[in-house]
Amino acid sequence: MIWANRFYSVTASVSIIISLLGPHAAAVTTNADVIVLQDFSSSSSHHMWEEMNDPVMGGRSTGTFSIQDGKGYFQGNVAVVPFLQAPGFIKAETKKGESWPNVSTCQGLQITLHSSVDYQGYRVSFGRNRPPDAFPYTYGYKADLKIPAPSDDIDGFVTVSLPFSQFTDKWDAATGDGIVTCEEDSQYCPDQATLQNLYSIAVWGEGVEGTVDLQLRTIAAYGCASTDIPTNTNALEQEEVHTNISHEDIDNDETSILLEDFSNVSNHWVTMNDPVMGGKSNSMLTIANGIARFEGEVNIVPFLGAPGFITMRAGGMFFGNAKFSDVSHCTGFKLVLRSSEPHYKGYRLSFGRIHLPHGRHASGYKAPAWENVPEEESFGSIVFPFSSFSSNWDEGTGDIKVECTEENPKYCPTKSDLSNLKTISIWGEGVEGNVMLEIKSIHAIGCNGEKRDSNRLGQITANMNLREIYGYNCALIGIATILVVMFGLVALVFHFGYRHYSYQEIKV
């Protein structure tokens, strides 16, 4: 997610604007400056909603979400998490990555709702941004949702307006409370990219113990400059489908970091084939004319009766750590490439050297197999959000065993590992077939802060890399020599000692 161009609307009211509607929510759609995002009475504007309870260390909160009679019913109970001795949460969220209208010209969200209980932990969130120091499974801009008492002359529904200036992505993962508000620091305000495609909207009961009973009629954006705004395409499809962008276009992206440019290589890249019990896969790597050409075959390992792997990698056991910039303030990787074998189903990407206690040879975080690989005619890009990587993957197939999720955050990339990638690997794995990739560059995207010139970093450290590799290998040779000498001395001592004790005195 792009962090640049943070949005702060001067025209947005600082206080919550509260207005009361009549019994028919259709009044919302008649305002010229309102864009309806969800009307629960209309099947044409329904989004897919999912309910989730706190998964942390025995959380006991429970909730449900259903749509009936033209309303969305969010009900449940927020209970204390025994291990934490603090209230947990329940939330109802739209399916991640669904299509949303562009609301970047609007002032905020307005929700028509009713609550039968005086619960003080209601919150609303949208988007998927998170500060670099946030937990991997927390995301989105969040605001408190304070519901006023309804008037006696209507059906109990009120409309609460939340200016975008009241949302922040710097919030406490344990309580949901804002740590630094948008008004205190504009870097935590909703950015233009998020407002152009909201990704998801969620309502919460969080951080306050008690009963939740919320009925939703509509969710809309208000104060919009125009209602004739095109809807963005599905966000997940934008991530997976390649676009024919030029190399220069990516270099000009102020929220990306260039990690490797194969026209000016800053790391030592090598190939490796499956070494297991007679593996027959083979590969080769050629770097020329600004392109890394990685090609080969993934074949069946006879002993296992299953496909092996080939990989190109920078950094590793015999080459020390590769030199890459700190990407802990970014949201994912982007590879610019093309392929004459785009239909091969075993392309994978991994980074890092984390090793799970129950693992054998596997190390690092790995993403699922790629889809929609750009074909040979033109270069395109593939995006890999950090949230798609997991450290729990199958050594035999490369498939993810346990995904990085809110329920399993221990398998998500950590800030420490993102600040020092150590190694990046591109694989053909777990699927028999021909592999061929031509790669121009590797980037980190959605970075919060000034763009760093990793290419310059590579120039500065290139000679250092070679010296480290040379020194590392020399050290291995030196250690091996010392061990050989030591074993030789031990053998000599044992030999002469044995001869000494084998002498016998003979009387003549």
Side-chain angles (χ1 to χ4, degrees):
M1 179 62 64
I2 298 174
W3 288 70
N5 301 323
R6 291 281 184 176
F7 175 76
Y8 182 87
S9 175
V10 177
T11 60
S13 172
V14 174
S15 62
I16 296 179
I17 306 168
I18 301 173
S19 61
L20 302 179
L21 286 185
H24 301 291
V28 175
T29 64
T30 62
N31 296 331
D33 64 345
V34 169
I35 298 176
V36 176
L37 303 174
Q38 171 75 70
D39 181 353
F40 289 98
S41 66
S42 171
S43 60
S44 62
S45 67
H46 274 180
H47 289 271
M48 296 292 294
W49 287 79
E50 300 173 337
E51 198 279 333
M52 178 181 179
N53 306 325
D54 51 72
V56 182
M57 301 174 183
R60 297 179 178 178
S61 301
T62 58
T64 62
F65 188 85
S66 61
I67 299 175
Q68 50 186 313
D69 302 325
K71 295 183 284 290
Y73 289 84
F74 179 43
Q75 299 170 317
N77 182 69
V78 176
V80 170
V81 179
F83 181 85
L84 302 176
Q85 286 300 300
F89 72 87
I90 60 176
K91 75 170 178 177
E93 182 178 16
T94 61
K95 183 180 179 181
K96 300 179 180 67
E98 286 188 320
S99 178
W100 294 91
N102 183 338
V103 298
S104 60
T105 67
C106 307
Q107 295 181 9
L109 297 181
Q110 65 179 24
I111 307 174
T112 304
L113 46 76
H114 165 71
S115 179
S116 64
V117 295
D118 184 23
Y119 179 70
Q120 298 299 311
Y122 291 124
R123 307 179 198 273
V124 177
S125 69
F126 64 86
R128 56 175 174 172
N129 268 17
R130 63 183 183 90
D133 57 348
F135 287 100
Y137 52 85
T138 61
Y139 59 89
Y141 298 95
K142 187 176 288 188
D144 293 341
L145 177 60
K146 301 300 183 185
I147 303 176
S151 299
D152 295 333
D153 57 348
I154 61 171
D155 61 355
F157 280 81
V158 297
T159 295
V160 178
S161 295
L162 301 173
F164 287 137
S165 60
Q166 292 187 353
F167 287 82
T168 177
D169 62 358
K170 183 71 171 179
W171 47 271
D172 191 309
T175 65
D177 295 333
I179 299 173
V180 181
T181 68
C182 164
E183 293 174 334
E184 292 170 339
D185 191 335
S186 61
Q187 71 170 307
Y188 301 116
C189 298
D191 62 19
Q192 285 281 14
T194 299
L195 296 176
Q196 289 170 2
N197 196 322
L198 297 175
Y199 182 70
S200 71
I201 292 178
V203 291
W204 303 65
E206 181 182 27
V208 178
E209 187 179 8
T211 300
V212 171
D213 187 2
L214 192 63
Q215 298 177 33
L216 303 168
R217 184 172 279 169
T218 59
I219 302 174
Y222 74 92
C224 308
S226 172
T227 57
D228 187 20
I229 300 176
T231 300
N232 285 338
T233 57
N234 185 288
L236 291 181
E237 290 178 352
Q238 286 181 334
E239 288 181 354
E240 294 177 355
V241 176
H242 62 275
T243 55
N244 293 327
I245 54 178
S246 69
H247 194 233
E248 290 73 24
D249 287 337
I250 293 181
D251 284 345
N252 290 331
D253 183 354
E254 292 299 322
T255 65
S256 71
I257 295 176
L258 180 60
L259 299 176
E260 185 66 273
D261 181 354
F262 288 104
S263 65
N264 189 8
V265 183
S266 57
N267 284 288
H268 183 63
W269 291 82
V270 298
T271 61
M272 179 179 178
N273 306 325
D274 49 71
V276 181
M277 300 175 182
K280 295 186 177 182
S281 301
N282 60 82
S283 65
M284 64 180 295
L285 174 66
T286 306
I287 300 177
N289 302 319
I291 295 172
R293 183 182 177 92
F294 175 49
E295 57 188 325
E297 291 181 321
V298 176
N299 294 317
I300 299 292
V301 179
F303 181 84
L304 301 176
F309 71 86
I310 61 176
T311 180
M312 64 171 281
R313 64 186 302 174
M317 182 180 298
F318 300 109
F319 298 96
N321 293 334
K323 298 294 181 181
F324 295 113
S325 293
D326 179 347
V327 299
S328 60
H329 58 301
C330 306
T331 60
F333 293 115
K334 178 183 284 186
L335 271 60
V336 180
L337 47 73
R338 65 185 180 185
S339 176
S340 63
E341 299 287 348
H343 303 298
Y344 176 71
K345 300 299 184 182
Y347 292 121
R348 306 178 194 271
L349 179 68
S350 70
F351 72 91
R353 299 180 68 175
I354 186 174
H355 183 78
L356 297 183
H358 62 271
R360 299 179 62 189
H361 309 292
S363 64
Y365 300 96
K366 187 172 286 187
W370 310 352
E371 296 180 0
N372 303 315
V373 179
E375 297 190 18
E376 193 172 24
E377 287 75 14
S378 58
F379 283 91
S381 65
I382 301 180
V383 169
F384 304 86
F386 290 148
S387 59
S388 67
F389 287 82
S390 171
S391 60
N392 195 341
W393 49 274
D394 191 302
E395 297 183 18
T397 65
D399 294 334
I400 304 299
K401 293 167 65 177
V402 182
E403 295 181 349
C404 160
T405 62
E406 294 182 11
E407 294 87 348
N408 297 290
K410 63 182 178 179
Y411 301 123
C412 299
T414 65
K415 182 179 180 182
S416 173
D417 288 327
L418 292 172
S419 65
N420 184 3
L421 297 175
K422 297 181 180 178
T423 178
I424 291 179
S425 298
I426 298 171
W427 303 65
E429 182 184 25
V431 178
E432 186 179 11
N434 295 325
V435 171
M436 203 295 287
L437 294 172
E438 290 188 339
I439 306 161
K440 270 192 173 183
S441 55
I442 302 173
H443 305 253
I445 62 167
C447 305
N448 177 30
E450 295 182 359
K451 179 184 176 184
R452 303 180 184 181
D453 191 349
S454 178
N455 196 32
R456 180 174 180 273
L457 175 66
Q459 293 173 352
I460 294 173
T461 60
N463 291 332
M464 186 183 301
N465 270 344
L466 294 176
R467 287 197 298 270
E468 287 179 356
I469 293 168
Y470 178 76
Y472 190 82
N473 289 338
C474 287
L476 288 176
I477 293 171
I479 292 171
T481 303
I482 292 171
L483 290 174
V484 169
V485 172
M486 290 178 63
F487 279 119
L489 291 173
V490 170
L492 287 173
V493 171
F494 179 83
H495 175 70
F496 284 108
Y498 177 81
R499 289 182 60 188
H500 173 77
Y501 289 110
S502 66
Y503 282 121
Q504 297 181 10
E505 185 180 353
I506 300 176
K507 293 182 180 181
V508 180

